[in-house]
Each structure stands twice: as structure tokens, then as C-alpha cells.
Amino acid sequence: MAGLSIAHRVALAALLERCPDATLRKVSAGVAPMAGGRAAELRIMLADEMRDRTRRARVMAPVAPMFRARADGVAAMTFPSHVLPRLWKAASVREPALLARLDGDDPSADAVADRICLSAAAMVRDQPDLVWPPEGDAAARQAGLADLVACLDLAHLARRGLPSLETWLKRPDGDQIAELRLLLKDCAGVHVDGAQRVLEMLFAHLDDALLILRIVIQTSLAAGREGFLSESELAGFVDRLIAGVDARAKRIAAFQPRVDLDRVETVIADLNWCAGVLGELDVTLTLNPQSVWGKSVRDARVAIARQLSGLLRTADKAVDEALPLERVQIAGRMTRKSPRLTAPAAGPEVDAALNLLKLVGSSRGPASTFGCEADRKTLVETLTDRLSDHADQTLRLINDGETQDEEHALALVELVARFLELIDAQEPARTVRRRAAVAGGPLRDGEASSDAA
């Protein structure tokens, strides 16, 4: 069978180059059992592309995360994603004889990778348009090219530090801290701002942005003091984290549980993130309450605490609206409150309550950070008693045959169990469900006897 034409090979190469890694693996698995000359050629092309990507990942490891935006939205030094494959192609063709040494466990692989990174830096300097096509904001592109060159110049030093990143995040000893400071000193010898740039590269490897603080405070004996850090080139990392807290505080303040039905998970994540950052700042830095940072942190803490307290109060009211009570006459003029069994088991009020109770149950950590844990705990205890009582009364009415729609009443009991689960009252929720499973009034018994007959 005829193989692929030149046009086919060129088109397929361009297509494979654009495929994400996951898609490439799926295509490879699909082509593997195919017979024929074209399938064989395609398998070779796929293998070549996958090997090339493995080599690229090894060489560009120090800078690769910088070619995508941070998932947490915190500002960082980044480059356009389409630049990375162009950069790799331009640099790798200059060292074709060395590429095979990147495969396997060749002891010289890191040295080869460092050499290719230096070649990449030279390509950016000599042929910037080949690597980063001129488009968009010209000034931003020029600044980006300068940043990219500097990072590639420092790639060999960043590669040396990456294996120690996990150690620096924990409890490094004196020798390990000295290793970090020596790395920064070596980077400063390459570029005036080399220490800051290599920290940007390490920052790109951290999924949790606040962890950069643990590295920053190890850079100097005085780094834990706000006065020193705020005047240093490393102040930008703290500024970005505080800006991230401010942005999330605004999102939390804008949350409306009855309208933003799909945002509760985001709000919970924002609360946890802000609590983590503020807690880390408390541990790593000694902030002056009157400083810019101190005031920003205090204002954010107060704003989030106020909003969280308001959401807790709203959750209490939302449960009343979702499971309302009504006064019923029991004897003469005597009345008591009883569950309204005609209340809907689904709808806007129920959705709002579900959202808010999910937040109540998930905010134990943030509530402690923002001084609301006592209120949250009291609310959980009150709701547990109230919801359990609501289920007791409803089940009693069901068992006494005093419900017009027993199935709907049981749906309300199930809703109570869901509410209890959301506030982490697991045992009361299980108790409600066990009792509901055996509940049934005369009407149900009669229906069961009729069915048996």
C-alpha cells in the first residue's frame, strides 16, 4: 500500500504539533492496531512527536510552567503558550547531535539541556521574530523577550535548585538555607536582578502561590521583617498575594446565594485561599499594623469576616424559608408550630438553603481565621437540633396517618437529612434516614395490604 504523500506528512506534522499531550496519546492508541503502510508511517510520526515533546519537557523544565497562566489567577511572569514550541524547535535544530543524549538516563542529559537553553537564549536575542512573532502590544512583547532571555540565561541555575524546592518549603536546616542563598547569589552574578528572576521561575512551579513566602523569608536573615522585605525587590510577591486576597474578598462580598447558584464552590475556595494566605502572612512576616501591608491585610480580614458572618445569619433564615413552620390548633385555643407539609421540596428557597449550608459546613477553617468559628459552631448546633425536631414532627405525622401526601412529606424528611449532611451532622442525618425508611401511616399500610391481596 502506498505511503503518505509529502503534502500529507506536512499537514499531519502541523496537526500533531498542535495536539495536546492527552489527545496525542489517544491518537497513538487508536493508530497502534491499524495495518498498512500509511498507518505505519503515522505511528512513526507519532513516536517522533512524543519523543520530541519528552525532550522538550526535560530541557525546558525550569521555564515550562511560565508558558501558561497561573490557575489561581495570581499575577506572575508568564509568556505566550505558542512561543514554547517555536523556541524549542529553533534551539533544538542548532544542536541535533546532542538530542539523543536527552533520552534515558544519560548522566550528561542535564548538561545538554543547559546548553540547549543557552542556545535558546541566543535564538531569542538573534532572531526574536522567529521565536515570538510580532503581534499585539509591541512594548509588552519587547519586555517579554527581555524576560525570556534572562530566564533562559538562568535556566541552568534554576535546574540546579528545582530538586531542593520541596525541602525549602518545609523546614530547611542551615546547610539547605545556605544552598538557597548561594543559588540566589550565583543568579545575581549572571543578571543584576537574577535572584528575583529565579524566584519567579520557582514561583511558577508552585501550584499554591502562598508557598513562595516560605522561600522568600529564607533569602536573608532580615527577610522576615516587613521593613526589610517591603524595600527589597522581593516585595512584589507579597503585593501579589495581598492583591489576590483583595480580589477574592470582592468576589465573596458580591456573592448572592439566591442568585449565584453555581458560585458557592468558588466562594468556598476563595474563603479557603484567603484564610491560607492571611495565615501564612501571620506566620512568616511581622506586619506593622500601620504599614500599607498591615492595613491591607487588616481591611481584607475585617471585610471577609463581616461577609462570612452575614452569610451565616442568612443561612439560618434560609433554612426557615426552605422548611417553614405553621401554627396548628391542638385543643381549644391552644396552638403549636408544626412543619408545613405543603412546602416545596425543591425550588429557589431550597437551592439557596443548600448553597448556604454547604458553605456553613465547609468554612470551619476560614471561620477560625476570620474570628467567626464560635458563631458558626453555635449555628451548626442550633440547626442540628432544629432540623432533627422538624424531622421528628414530620415522621410522627406520617406514622399517625395525618399527611395528605405521604411521599411529599418523606421528600421533606430527605431534604432535612441533606441539610444535616451539609453542616457535617452525619449521625443525625443517618438517624433521620433510618427512621424515614420504616415510616408509614395507615394509608401506606392499607396500600401495602391491598397490593399483597
Side-chain angles (χ1 to χ4, degrees):
M1 182 181 291
L4 296 169
S5 67
I6 294 177
H8 284 154
R9 293 180 65 86
V10 170
L12 281 171
L15 180 62
L16 294 178
E17 187 177 311
R18 290 175 173 80
C19 284
D21 290 347
T23 303
L24 203 64
R25 286 192 292 271
K26 289 180 180 179
V27 172
S28 182
V31 173
M34 293 182 180
R38 292 184 179 181
E41 288 190 42
L42 181 54
R43 281 193 291 273
I44 293 172
M45 293 181 67
L46 285 164
D48 289 343
E49 178 66 23
M50 294 175 75
R51 182 176 61 249
D52 187 64
R53 292 191 186 193
T54 301
R55 291 171 175 175
R56 182 181 76 188
R58 186 165 192 172
V59 172
M60 296 296 174
V63 296
M66 305 179 82
F67 288 89
R68 56 180 181 268
R70 290 191 61 86
D72 56 19
V74 175
M77 182 183 292
T78 58
F79 309 110
S81 59
H82 67 270
V83 171
L84 179 58
R86 300 174 71 97
L87 176 67
W88 164 247
K89 183 175 291 187
S92 61
V93 297
R94 298 182 64 170
E95 309 284 356
L98 298 178
L99 296 180
R101 294 166 67 179
L102 295 169
D103 304 330
D105 298 323
D106 193 313
S108 64
D110 282 351
V112 171
D114 292 340
R115 178 169 171 173
I116 295 177
C117 281
L118 292 176
S119 294
M123 287 298 301
V124 177
R125 287 188 178 96
D126 299 340
Q127 296 179 279
D129 292 354
L130 179 65
V131 174
W132 191 328
E135 55 188 11
D137 188 335
R141 175 177 175 272
Q142 284 303 117
L145 286 167
D147 288 336
L148 181 56
V149 167
C151 289
L152 290 169
D153 286 341
L154 296 167
H156 64 291
L157 294 172
R159 193 186 311 278
R160 187 182 86 195
L162 283 176
S164 300
L165 184 58
E166 190 71 22
T167 301
W168 295 332
L169 294 175
K170 294 179 180 176
R171 294 183 179 273
D173 57 28
D175 291 341
Q176 291 161 342
I177 293 174
E179 178 191 0
L180 171 62
R181 293 175 182 172
L182 179 60
L183 173 66
L184 298 180
K185 182 179 179 181
D186 290 344
C187 291
V190 177
H191 280 283
V192 174
D193 57 355
Q196 181 180 359
R197 289 186 183 279
V198 80
L199 285 174
E200 292 281 1
M201 296 165 77
L202 296 178
F203 184 49
H205 286 265
L206 299 176
D207 292 333
D208 195 346
L210 66 88
L211 295 178
I212 192 63
L213 291 175
R214 301 185 186 181
I215 296 179
V216 168
I217 63 167
Q218 306 293 348
T219 60
S220 166
L221 293 174
R225 297 199 300 269
E226 178 187 2
F228 170 84
L229 186 57
S230 63
E231 298 298 327
S232 77
E233 69 276 9
L234 305 181
F237 290 110
V238 180
D239 289 334
R240 292 180 221 172
L241 291 174
I242 293 177
V245 171
D246 290 340
R248 286 164 174 78
K250 291 178 181 176
R251 291 208 298 256
I252 294 169
F255 175 60
Q256 300 180 51
R258 289 177 172 78
V259 178
D260 305 321
L261 299 179
D262 57 344
R263 281 195 57 221
V264 64
E265 297 290 352
T266 301
V267 171
I268 293 170
D270 285 346
L271 284 168
N272 283 313
W273 194 89
C274 291
V277 170
L278 295 179
E280 193 70 27
L281 285 170
D282 288 341
V283 171
T284 55
L285 293 179
T286 303
L287 295 178
N288 181 348
Q290 301 306 315
S291 68
V292 174
W293 285 350
K295 290 178 180 177
S296 295
V297 168
R298 184 187 63 234
D299 291 346
R301 195 185 297 272
V302 169
I304 295 174
R306 184 184 301 116
Q307 181 67 9
L308 182 53
S309 295
L311 289 172
L312 293 177
R313 291 192 297 272
T314 304
D316 195 9
K317 297 176 182 176
V319 171
D320 286 339
E321 293 175 3
L323 295 171
L325 301 176
E326 60 184 0
R327 288 203 169 274
V328 296
Q329 190 171 356
I330 55 176
R333 294 183 178 180
M334 294 178 62
T335 62
R336 64 175 174 83
K337 288 187 175 181
S338 179
R340 184 188 298 167
L341 299 184
T342 57
E349 291 80 10
V350 171
D351 291 338
L354 289 169
N355 276 341
L356 285 161
L357 292 180
K358 185 181 296 184
L359 188 146
V360 170
S362 303
S363 60
R364 177 181 297 175
S368 296
T369 300
F370 298 113
C372 305
E373 177 55 16
D375 293 340
R376 193 198 74 87
K377 187 175 180 180
T378 299
L379 175 62
V380 168
E381 292 172 352
T382 302
L383 286 178
T384 300
D385 291 341
R386 204 160 77 222
L387 289 168
S388 297
D389 182 65
H390 190 286
D392 286 343
Q393 292 193 52
T394 304
L395 289 168
R396 190 179 304 117
L397 292 171
I398 292 172
N399 289 327
D400 291 344
E402 296 180 16
T403 58
Q404 294 183 349
D405 187 341
E406 187 176 300
E407 293 301 324
H408 182 73
L410 286 170
L412 292 176
V413 174
E414 171 59 25
L415 183 60
V416 169
R418 289 177 62 194
F419 284 178
L420 288 167
E421 282 182 335
L422 289 174
I423 60 175
D424 206 25
Q426 300 294 340
E427 188 56 38
R430 284 193 288 268
T431 299
V432 167
R433 286 203 169 99
R434 282 197 300 267
R435 294 183 59 199
V438 297
L443 179 59
R444 172 176 287 191
D445 295 339
E447 288 177 349
S449 300
S450 177
D451 292 341

